[in-house]
Amino acid sequence: MTRRLYRATVFATPRNPFREARALEAFADGALLVNDGQVQACGEFSAIANANPNAEIHDWRGSFLLPGFVDTHVHFPQVRIIGALGEPLLDWLKHSALPEEARMADASYARLIAREFLSALARHGTTTALVFGAHFVPAMEAFFEEAGSSGLRIASGLVLSDRNLLPVLHTSPDAAYEQSQTLISRHHAKGLLTYAVTPRFALSNSDAMLDVCRSIMAETPSLLFQTHLNENQQEVMAVAREFPWASDYLAVYEKFGLVGERSVLAHNVHASNSELQRLAASGATVAHCPVSNASLGSGLFAMTRHVHAGVRIALGTDVGAGTGFDMLKEGLQAYLMQRLCPDGYGLTPAHLLYLATRAGAEALGANAGDFAPGRSADFVRIQAPEGSVLQAVQKNAESPERMLAAIFTLGGAESILSTWVAGRQV
Ligand SMILES: [Zn+2]
């Protein structure tokens, strides 16, 4: 296969900026060398071009190459309810989200939504996503088939619930076990697909259902686990009523062995210090979804407390409570909300890039998210549209880091020129 050398301004965060001062790598006249779907080198154009005289050069000067975005929390059935503003979590679920989730009983409708969803990810530069699925097996079969042919790196699973939602969304623990195992055997570790065990949240699951989740995880250790945690104060109080034996919300999942390095827990807005310490010790990742937190009025995410406790954090759009698929907007919103927090964390462009790329890849165990040699060549080409404000800023940007901040501030789907996974355009 031909080695391809892409010449552009290149950004990546191969190191964690929450722990290391110089985490950002930026090359104003940079290059990404791709061979057989993998990154072979990343650095200054002249050095890489001289060392690889036979590589096929793609001159993309004026464009920016970033690692593909990794969305660690997003719901595929909720594409068409984006923009249902005005309610807190439990009312929004009742009036907007759950009725649409129920429509996924129609597999042909679910397939249509799956296509809209996957196409939206690619158009926004998202190459990898951990996706909350539907409550219905035929809908999940359709979703995995579409995900497999999309070329994207997707982890997802059947959503499990046996109480407190609409009855049509409930299943029994026995059926949940059988159906999950069938989906796992058909789709897990096939191509770029990974299966994720997905109880909706503690409030909608009995002890017996969470015990089924434990069994499924134990039988296939390479699975991922995802659910919601400490999103909204009413939800936290309701969970305390449903699980009187639990010392706090996290303890519910801990009792069933569901909190570990392969677990991604969305939100965690209302976390105690004890929960943060236990999350850090477990190696689990919190999917921070700042647009959703603001839209539903869930609260201000205590990022500083998470960082000081050592909890891993990545970023998620939480469509459809979130207002869209744009991980640049999500990064900007994280920055803005930390500015408003009493004890807010001072996020830099390097933090935003890390949260939107490598942090998510680490959470999902994906060999992607930066441009270290040997990584999958998952990247996004960004170019300021002609006449755009981003283009105006680009003419004046005095440093690559300043430009990266402008990309997060002004970029969006209209500036995503192309999206690549494993060296192939999707
Ligand atoms: Zn969610």
Side-chain angles (χ1 to χ4, degrees):
M1 200 187 216
T2 320
R3 285 185 300 167
R4 294 182 174 177
L5 204 165
Y6 300 100
R7 183 178 192 178
T9 297
V10 180
F11 295 106
T13 43
R15 294 169 294 279
N16 180 344
F18 291 101
R19 296 193 191 131
E20 296 182 48
R22 298 177 60 79
L24 178 68
E25 288 192 347
F27 303 97
D29 185 9
L32 184 67
L33 183 67
V34 174
N35 186 27
D36 201 17
Q38 287 193 333
V39 174
Q40 196 167 331
C42 172
E44 298 290 351
F45 170 76
S46 57
I48 293 178
N50 288 340
N52 300 276
N54 298 325
E56 179 185 292
I57 294 176
H58 297 251
D59 191 346
W60 290 355
R61 275 177 288 180
S63 294
F64 305 93
L65 289 191
L66 275 60
F69 302 129
V70 182
D71 188 341
T72 58
H73 186 67
V74 58
H75 296 251
F76 109 75
Q78 296 179 9
V79 177
R80 293 194 181 184
I81 57 154
I82 293 172
L85 304 177
E87 290 188 307
L89 174 68
L90 299 179
D91 297 321
W92 171 85
L93 276 170
K94 190 173 169 190
H95 299 135
S96 293
L98 298 182
E100 181 70 2
E101 297 265 1
R103 288 183 200 109
M104 300 298 139
D106 175 350
S108 60
Y109 182 68
R111 185 178 295 276
L112 188 65
I113 301 299
R115 287 183 184 149
E116 292 174 353
F117 173 87
L118 294 159
S119 147
L121 290 179
R123 278 187 283 111
H124 287 81
T126 297
T127 50
T128 297
L130 175 58
V131 180
F132 249 71
H135 289 261
F136 305 96
V137 172
M140 287 314 296
E141 291 286 1
F143 179 74
F144 276 122
E145 284 169 25
E146 296 296 328
S149 52
S150 72
L152 297 168
R153 189 182 306 282
I154 298 291
S156 187
L158 180 71
V159 182
L160 306 177
S161 289
D162 61 352
R163 59 176 175 174
N164 291 332
L165 300 180
L166 299 174
V168 68
L169 300 176
H170 296 161
T171 187
S172 70
D174 285 348
Y177 178 83
E178 293 300 328
Q179 293 170 348
S180 299
Q181 294 293 21
T182 302
L183 286 166
I184 290 164
S185 68
R186 287 172 53 79
H187 302 290
H188 177 58
K190 304 286 163 64
L192 298 177
L193 303 180
T194 301
Y195 195 87
V197 177
T198 310
R200 184 161 206 102
F201 59 164
L203 194 52
S204 71
N205 287 282
S206 65
D207 290 36
M209 186 66 95
L210 294 171
D211 204 38
V212 160
C213 293
R214 175 195 357 226
S215 300
I216 300 169
M217 291 293 294
E219 285 171 43
T220 312
S222 57
L223 299 176
L224 290 164
F225 176 82
Q226 62 176 341
T227 192
H228 296 93
L229 174 69
N230 287 324
E231 179 173 2
N232 163 292
Q233 270 164 337
Q234 276 68 44
E235 172 216 15
V236 174
M237 287 189 289
V239 168
R241 285 194 297 274
E242 294 283 0
F243 298 90
W245 51 262
S247 57
D248 52 37
Y249 198 151
L250 183 65
V252 176
Y253 299 133
E254 285 174 327
K255 177 180 175 186
F256 298 97
L258 300 173
V259 185
E261 285 183 2
R262 298 190 65 75
S263 307
V264 177
L265 306 161
H267 303 301
N268 205 34
V269 173
H270 304 283
S272 68
N273 288 336
S274 167
E275 286 176 301
L276 292 176
Q277 283 159 14
R278 283 143 52 206
L279 279 169
S282 74
T285 299
V286 167
H288 173 39
C289 309
V291 172
S292 166
N293 294 165
S295 182
L296 294 174
S298 301
L300 291 166
F301 179 69
M303 186 175 285
T304 301
R305 287 172 59 227
H306 279 72
V307 172
H308 289 168
V311 181
R312 298 164 72 187
I313 307 167
L315 215 49
T317 60
D318 197 21
V319 159
T323 61
F325 290 85
D326 189 344
M327 289 291 286
L328 295 170
K329 180 166 72 178
E330 207 65 46
L332 176 66
Q333 180 74 9
Y335 165 82
L336 294 173
M337 285 178 74
Q338 290 307 307
R339 296 288 287 169
L340 292 174
C341 276
D343 182 29
Y345 196 91
L347 293 171
T348 67
H351 290 99
L352 304 190
L353 183 61
Y354 173 76
L355 285 169
T357 58
R358 183 65 195 142
E362 286 171 354
L364 307 188
N367 182 29
D370 64 28
F371 294 143
R375 293 266 191 254
S376 177
D378 296 10
F379 59 94
V380 54
R381 179 184 179 188
I382 293 177
Q383 185 161 301
E386 196 58 36
S388 66
V389 179
L390 183 59
Q391 187 185 51
V393 173
Q394 187 176 357
K395 288 171 182 162
N396 247 8
E398 69 271 21
S399 71
E401 191 168 38
R402 172 73 186 77
M403 195 58 216
L404 184 59
I407 289 169
F408 273 96
T409 308
L410 293 163
E414 71 290 341
S415 43
I416 306 292
L417 209 56
S418 54
T419 303
W420 303 67
V421 177
R424 292 169 56 187
Q425 190 173 353
V426 294

